[in-house]
Amino acid sequence: MTRTIVVDPLFEDVWPLAADHLHKLWNGTDTEVEFIRLSETRETSLRDAVDSPEAVEQLVSLGVRTSEAGLDEFTNLKEAFVMTTSMYGPDEALTASLTDRGVTVHDHTGEGFWSESVAEFGIGLTIDALRQIPQKYEKMKRSHDPWDVDLLDNEIPGARGHQFADDPNFVTGTIARKNVRVAGIGNIGSRYASTADHLGADVAAYDPFADESCFHSTGSRRVYDLDELVRDADIFAPTIPLTDATEGVITKSHIDALPTGSILVLITRAGICDMDAVRDRVLANELVLAADVWDEEPLSLDDPLLDRDNVVHTPHIAGRTQDANERWAEHLAAHFDSI
């Protein structure tokens, strides 16, 4: 049996480390592996890239131009994974054509390979928002004022004491003992919820499509209504994927119902929320926003959401790690190895 991997630069714009990891995994087997990396984006077709297509039995084509006629040249093909334009899933038309030929075509459209990276990033953003860590660091670079928290002689009851520097206008401190509310308990949301539960939070979650085991395994109390979910949230993390059906599912009424001072964590897609309502409450200093995803990307440099004490922001990077790339390759390899 021979295995061939062909990768176009288009694919590596999205998953720069995945093809090499798949090659490494397959090189550790007894099967002959041909690895072809194309130098110019979308310049070379799959048929032109492979010298002996008739010898290929297992094919992974990543971002490479191809067609039904081109794939017909792979006469001994038994298994395949073919991406052409979307770097998040196989080509549907070519999948159907290959399936009609009796070729086993592997799917690879889940988000499990980046869920760890996104969920952990979300926990990091949450802790940053609770303690205003990025803001404090930025101020430390410009002034000694952040160090001025030695206020033990302050006679005002409730005033800041030694090294107490959190803003009492917002939810602060630990994840432990906070009301963490999660909308969407899939790959990302379940990991976020489980970690928050492990850290000692009171976790409740809403997901009308999940079965009971999803809530039980994450330590989450099941809530059946979004209005109820947001009502007592100290930390609200809507981790719902963005689709036509979920766009704007977190409405203005949900955003307005969040308690003043609470933290909104956005790590999947901003489009699931009414972002006008989010902006209004954040700019009014009524909410803390901890976000990796935005309604406008990139944000304008004069966007009023930037450089605020109640905003922790990153440039849509939560899922892009070496680990996620390696997971992508490992999941695909497991598909082939399961036959």
Side-chain angles (χ1 to χ4, degrees):
M1 179 179 293
T2 59
R3 288 171 162 172
T4 295
I5 304 168
V6 189
V7 56
D8 188 277
L10 176 66
F11 174 80
E12 297 194 299
D13 284 345
V14 180
W15 298 106
L17 307 174
D20 281 322
H21 192 59
L22 178 62
H23 185 207
K24 177 182 177 181
L25 292 170
W26 276 0
N27 262 344
T29 69
D30 295 331
T31 304
E32 179 184 348
V33 180
E34 179 184 25
F35 183 78
I36 303 167
R37 171 175 278 117
L38 304 179
S39 59
E40 299 292 335
T41 302
R42 309 289 284 176
E43 287 293 320
T44 306
S45 70
L46 179 63
R47 175 60 191 87
D48 291 337
V50 180
D51 291 334
S52 302
E54 70 282 355
V56 178
E57 296 177 73
Q58 292 181 317
L59 172 68
V60 173
S61 179
L62 304 174
V64 185
R65 288 192 300 109
T66 192
S67 63
E68 289 186 28
L71 286 170
D72 285 344
E73 299 291 322
F74 292 77
T75 53
N76 289 307
L77 198 59
K78 293 180 173 60
E79 298 177 65
F81 177 77
V82 180
M83 280 179 162
T84 54
T85 55
S86 169
M87 298 304 101
Y88 295 96
D91 186 289
E92 293 183 5
L94 296 178
T95 292
S97 173
L98 289 167
T99 301
D100 288 343
R101 287 172 47 188
V103 176
T104 298
V105 181
H106 297 290
D107 198 355
H108 193 41
T109 56
E111 60 184 20
F113 37 85
W114 61 24
S115 60
E116 290 177 351
S117 294
V118 176
E120 289 182 15
F121 199 92
I123 291 292
L125 282 176
T126 303
I127 295 170
D128 279 344
L130 284 165
R131 306 303 306 274
Q132 294 188 338
I133 294 172
Q135 295 93 325
K136 289 179 172 65
Y137 173 70
E138 281 300 312
K139 290 174 182 177
M140 283 173 61
K141 294 192 298 184
R142 299 190 296 266
S143 165
H144 282 161
D145 289 347
W147 296 87
D148 186 20
V149 291
D150 192 3
L151 303 176
L152 291 175
D153 295 330
N154 196 323
E155 297 178 359
I156 302 173
R160 294 190 309 168
H162 183 58
Q163 294 181 332
F164 183 85
D166 293 339
D167 187 338
N169 293 308
F170 303 110
V171 172
T172 63
T174 63
I175 291 177
R177 305 200 304 170
K178 299 298 187 295
N179 292 338
V180 173
R181 305 296 182 245
V182 181
I185 202 79
N187 282 314
I188 294 169
S190 62
R191 292 179 184 277
Y192 181 92
S194 180
T195 303
D197 172 68
H198 180 73
L199 291 173
D202 175 80
V203 184
Y206 165 84
D207 192 325
F209 304 104
D211 60 35
E212 198 62 39
S213 63
C214 296
F215 299 89
H216 179 74
S217 65
T218 61
S220 304
R221 172 172 53 85
R222 185 169 196 170
V223 173
Y224 292 89
D225 184 80
L226 264 174
D227 294 335
E228 178 186 347
L229 186 75
V230 299
R231 195 173 298 139
D232 67 346
D234 294 316
I235 300 165
F236 177 47
T239 58
I240 301 166
L242 179 61
T243 66
D244 290 342
T246 62
E247 185 172 1
V249 68
I250 308 300
T251 66
K252 174 177 169 56
S253 65
H254 297 133
I255 298 301
D256 289 347
L258 288 168
T260 297
S262 62
I263 298 171
L264 173 62
V265 181
L266 295 182
I267 50 175
T268 53
R269 289 293 188 275
I272 62 174
C273 293
D274 184 324
M275 285 300 293
D276 288 337
V278 171
R279 283 176 171 272
D280 288 345
R281 293 209 67 194
V282 172
L283 294 176
N285 285 321
E286 295 175 355
L287 293 180
V288 175
L289 177 61
D292 182 56
V293 291
W294 303 88
D295 49 350
E296 175 190 347
E297 294 186 2
L299 283 176
S300 169
L301 294 179
D302 60 359
D303 194 299
L305 287 177
L306 295 174
D307 199 27
R308 296 182 61 85
D309 282 345
N310 63 326
V311 178
V312 177
H313 39 71
T314 50
H316 201 156
I317 56 173
R320 299 309 185 204
T321 61
Q322 177 176 340
D323 301 279
N325 275 259
E326 291 177 354
R327 286 281 190 184
W328 191 99
E330 289 159 7
H331 281 221
L332 185 56
H335 278 278
F336 279 85
D337 292 341
S338 66
I339 300 299

